[in-house]
Amino acid sequence: MNKFDFRSDTVTWPTKEMREAMASAELGDDVYGEDPSVNALEKLAAELLGMDSGLYVASGTMGNLVGILTHASRGDQAIVGEDAHCYTNEAGGMAVLGGIVPKPVSIDRMGMMRLTDVEAAISPDDFHYPQTKVILLENTFGARNGYPIEPEYFASIKDLARHHKLTVHLDGARLFNAAVALEIDAREITQYVDSVSICLSKGLCAPVGSVLCGDSDFVKKARRNRKVLGGGMRQAGIIASAGIIALSSMINRLAVDHDNAKFLAEQLASIDEITIDLETIKTNIVFFEVNENSFLNGRDIIRRLKDEHNILLDLSGSRLRAVTHYWISREDVEALIQGLKAILTAGPRLQSLDRVAS
Ligand SMILES: *Cc1c(COP(=O)(O)O)cnc(C)c1O
């Protein structure tokens, strides 16, 4: 891995302890339900999330898709935040494979929909409309600086859902970042949802995999949907064993990543050319923009950080994104800040030379 890879927490390699566990993992055929490592991982995830059962899946995208397919059918409608990962970043899977119609609702700067907007998005019982079946939530909210949303929001969405006989699915790819940042047990949030998918391969460092949890009837149906998608894996314990370590020893240390992100955000906020929503940065994701009157745009900065400093950031639209994780130290964050300052203060002359050269 590049020493300064801030593009995402998905780039994290497994730890030494994970590699050792993988080498000696007990295995079986998980499609027969006989892989002891997968079974142990599913049980552990379900316990941590206060659910009956868990289902090991290949990715967060698969966790959400299997979850949504289990909650809704062709022609049904799913209410979803306009910038939610499962609406914007999962290749339209619910529509492509499920015939499920997403109904996007606007979200605020923390990633929350207004209750009145959610209620207005629910279809009336009329054959003209796709019938609303499920509300899709996300925590932390990736496109909003990974903002950790409080349990109260989930409680009020759950009330509304119960009133209209809808189910609630939570994309909890980074749910443990939320729980750690809010200093609560993840179950304080998941008690208000019918299903939740968590990622093992982001900040928790496992190489592969997510777990979808819910009640036993839900997971039984979800297991069939996973099979439909080709997601039944055989000796999957070889990767699930790393997931067990992810859940048993990597959660609390996420606070270190949050501290590093906060430090980064504060330093960025002190640079004149940079705009950043400091207040919403509470976990490990830092979005920022270079002011329009600056002589560099986001793409120039990404390129020069890479070429001149060997530092990788992500670009989405005009926003730059830096994500902290297990393999990023405080010194690495300092290197990023120094690199950015060097580029921003080098002056427009260099840039105009670049433009001439290309
Ligand atoms: C990463 C992520 C996912 C799943 O991504 P995969 O790359 O499929 O594992 C889902 N939701 C959110 C919010 C994410 O950040």
Side-chain angles (χ1 to χ4, degrees), residues 10-252:
T10 56
V11 301
T12 47
W13 282 3
T15 62
K16 183 162 174 283
E17 193 191 359
M18 287 177 180
R19 288 189 186 256
E20 282 162 10
M22 292 168 77
S24 61
E26 270 192 83
L27 304 175
D29 189 324
D30 180 50
V31 175
Y32 289 109
E34 290 173 4
D35 189 301
S37 304
V38 172
N39 292 342
L41 171 65
E42 290 176 343
K43 186 159 176 277
L44 176 59
E47 266 166 29
L48 287 174
L49 299 167
M51 299 280 178
D52 290 346
S53 317
L55 182 70
Y56 188 42
V57 291
S59 65
T61 299
M62 188 183 270
N64 285 331
L65 181 56
V66 168
I68 298 166
L69 291 176
T70 309
H71 286 292
S73 308
R74 297 192 74 76
D76 289 340
Q77 175 179 281
I79 293 177
V80 61
E82 61 187 335
D83 285 334
H85 195 279
C86 66
Y87 179 52
T88 61
N89 277 273
E90 298 180 9
M94 70 175 104
V96 174
L97 298 172
I100 296 157
V101 187
K103 174 82 173 177
V105 169
S106 60
I107 50 168
D108 64 16
R109 62 193 251 271
M110 280 90 86
M112 287 183 270
M113 302 180 278
R114 290 205 327 232
L115 285 188
T116 47
D117 291 344
V118 175
E119 192 148 35
I122 300 171
S123 311
D125 182 13
D126 174 324
F127 66 80
H128 289 87
Y129 304 107
Q131 288 302 287
T132 312
K133 285 286 162 65
V134 59
I135 302 174
L136 307 174
L137 303 176
E138 182 176 317
N139 201 13
T140 66
F141 206 97
R144 294 292 183 275
N145 283 320
Y147 190 81
I149 303 173
E150 309 249 354
E152 289 69 22
Y153 173 69
F154 296 86
S156 43
I157 294 274
K158 182 66 197 168
D159 267 355
L160 189 66
R162 197 181 291 123
H163 184 72
H164 292 273
K165 300 193 169 56
L166 308 177
T167 53
V168 179
H169 170 75
L170 171 60
D171 175 355
R174 297 192 184 84
L175 178 64
F176 292 110
N177 291 87
V180 167
L182 297 169
E183 298 183 352
I184 58 173
D185 192 308
R187 283 173 283 212
E188 291 187 41
I189 295 166
T190 53
Q191 64 177 316
Y192 300 116
V193 304
D194 299 288
S195 63
V196 52
S197 170
I198 51 144
C199 278
L200 305 167
S201 69
K202 292 195 164 165
L204 301 182
C205 284
V208 183
S210 282
V211 187
L212 173 67
C213 295
D215 69 26
S216 23
D217 188 44
F218 174 88
V219 170
K220 191 167 168 229
K221 290 181 191 146
R223 196 173 288 280
R224 169 176 283 273
N225 286 326
R226 184 185 70 172
K227 186 68 185 166
V228 169
L229 299 177
M233 297 185 283
R234 301 295 178 174
Q235 285 73 41
I238 202 124
I239 43 179
S241 56
I244 293 172
I245 293 170
L247 291 182
S248 41
S249 60
M250 301 295 284
I251 293 175
N252 291 336

